[in-house]
Amino acid sequence: MKTTLALRAIGLGDFLTGLPALQALRWARPDDRLVLAAPAHFQPLLPLGVPVDELCPTDELSPIPWQGPVELAVDLHGNGPASRRLLDRLRPGRVLGFGYPGRPGPRWLPDEPEVHRWLRLIQEGLPAGNPRRCNQPAACHPAATDSPAARPAVRLSVPQVPAPEGAIVLHPGAAAPARRWPVERFAALARLLHEAGQRVVVTGSAGEHALVERVCRDGAATGWVGPTLQELFALVARARLVICGDTGVAHVASSYRTPSVLLFGPVSPARWGPPASGPHRVLWHGDGTGDPHGAVLDPALARIGVDEVLQAAFAMLHRAGHPRSHIAPLTEKELA
């Protein structure tokens, strides 16, 4: 059996936005063993329906410890020599990636939506496969005439692990301060949702204990620090609503079509936002010129107030069939 290896060794949001491209890759090469080179902590997600046969554990821009021949190596990681060199070391029969000086390939479009970017790479770089020979459900296969804007459906199953059901999930963390909505606003939001009769669960990584504790300090919410990826996915899949910033948790909500209110700042949701067809509401007052890795709160994210998020949350709950409860009016301090 021939081996196709795809490199995408980055974060959770990147992992999930790359699934449609992996689905298209599976469809294009149905007889190959499909290996994903990615961080080891994504291994528990493979049984949920990730369209690969095997995970080769590796870290970002680290050597890929794969032993054996590779027929096709696919760069789903970047558009430059750093990631391409890692694949070249495997001595594959062919490397597929975006073109850059000295290397041929499809053209990199800087403002292209992330999901569409990698799906287009597969669609332009490989001949269409035969869905009847693919072991994925027929609904997952993009038609041969699909544009890059058409996404193959990737239906992840819900992990069978204990997790709260029917909660409003708040995730105040983000990789960079520029994308972190102020913690005091998350705390005010948690209190107001609690007063409206909603069950609130606040999540965070193991390193975000203090952040979660600040949001939960007045007892208006239950904190859950350091859930496993399967626990996090189960929580989001069973949630009534998710409220978070431009983070991996937002993409988990998109994967399960869980209603969400997403707070964007430095990056345009046109590039990293949820699918337009899903039950999601994006709040954004920026122009896309901010630094997503910045060390201070992005001004566009700072323009989103508690009242705006609260109104969006109840609009999404109403849309999903959960009527709005009575809430006290916001004070000027809470609106800040």
Side-chain angles (χ1 to χ4, degrees), residues 61-266:
L61 297 181
S62 295
I64 302 169
W66 178 256
Q67 301 295 323
V70 174
E71 177 72 16
L72 173 67
V74 183
D75 189 352
L76 297 179
H77 190 92
N79 68 323
S83 54
R84 207 63 51 84
R85 280 195 293 264
L86 299 176
L87 295 175
D88 288 340
R89 290 173 186 167
L90 301 177
R91 300 182 182 275
R94 179 192 171 193
V95 176
L96 172 61
F98 283 108
Y100 61 89
R103 294 294 290 260
R107 181 185 174 195
W108 175 276
L109 305 176
D111 296 324
E112 187 171 18
E114 186 69 7
V115 171
H116 301 169
R117 179 195 310 286
W118 302 107
L119 180 55
R120 179 175 61 84
L121 174 66
I122 304 303
Q123 291 178 332
E124 292 185 8
L126 295 176
N130 183 352
R132 292 183 180 179
R133 297 170 58 199
C134 178
N135 61 7
Q136 297 296 311
C140 294
H141 305 137
T145 57
D146 274 351
S147 71
R151 306 181 183 196
V154 181
R155 298 184 178 94
L156 298 180
S157 60
V158 179
Q160 298 304 302
V161 296
E165 295 192 30
I168 294 182
V169 175
L170 305 186
H171 185 78
R179 290 183 280 126
R180 256 179 245 147
W181 200 50
V183 62
E184 60 273 11
R185 299 188 197 181
F186 267 112
L189 182 65
R191 179 181 63 77
L192 290 164
L193 289 168
H194 174 75
E195 291 175 357
Q198 304 294 329
R199 182 186 183 189
V200 180
V201 174
V202 184
T203 63
S205 68
E208 294 173 335
H209 188 279
L211 184 65
V212 173
E213 189 175 62
R214 286 185 63 187
V215 177
C216 299
R217 186 167 294 163
D218 63 0
T222 300
W224 195 357
V225 178
T228 67
L229 277 180
Q230 285 211 357
E231 289 171 336
L232 177 65
F233 275 50
L235 173 68
V236 171
R238 299 167 185 164
R240 179 172 293 182
L241 179 70
V242 171
I243 304 175
C244 66
D246 176 15
T247 68
V249 172
H251 297 285
V252 179
S254 295
S255 296
Y256 287 111
R257 292 185 62 84
T258 300
S260 64
V261 176
L262 307 178
L263 318 180
F264 272 68

Side-chain angles (χ1 to χ4, degrees), residues 178 181 185 263-267 283-288 290 297-305 308:
W181 200 50
R185 299 188 197 181
L263 318 180
F264 272 68
V267 177
L283 304 180
W284 187 55
H285 304 301
D287 57 10
L297 175 66
D298 185 80
L301 187 58
R303 295 186 191 106
I304 301 175
E308 183 180 7

Side-chain angles (χ1 to χ4, degrees), residues 294-320:
V296 297
L297 175 66
D298 185 80
L301 187 58
R303 295 186 191 106
I304 301 175
V306 175
D307 186 57
E308 183 180 7
V309 179
L310 188 68
Q311 299 308 318
F314 280 114
M316 293 303 299
L317 290 172
H318 179 77
R319 177 178 168 184

Side-chain angles (χ1 to χ4, degrees), residues 17-29:
T17 55
L19 291 184
L22 290 173
Q23 196 78 274
L25 184 58
R26 163 71 82 188
W27 181 53
R29 299 181 68 89

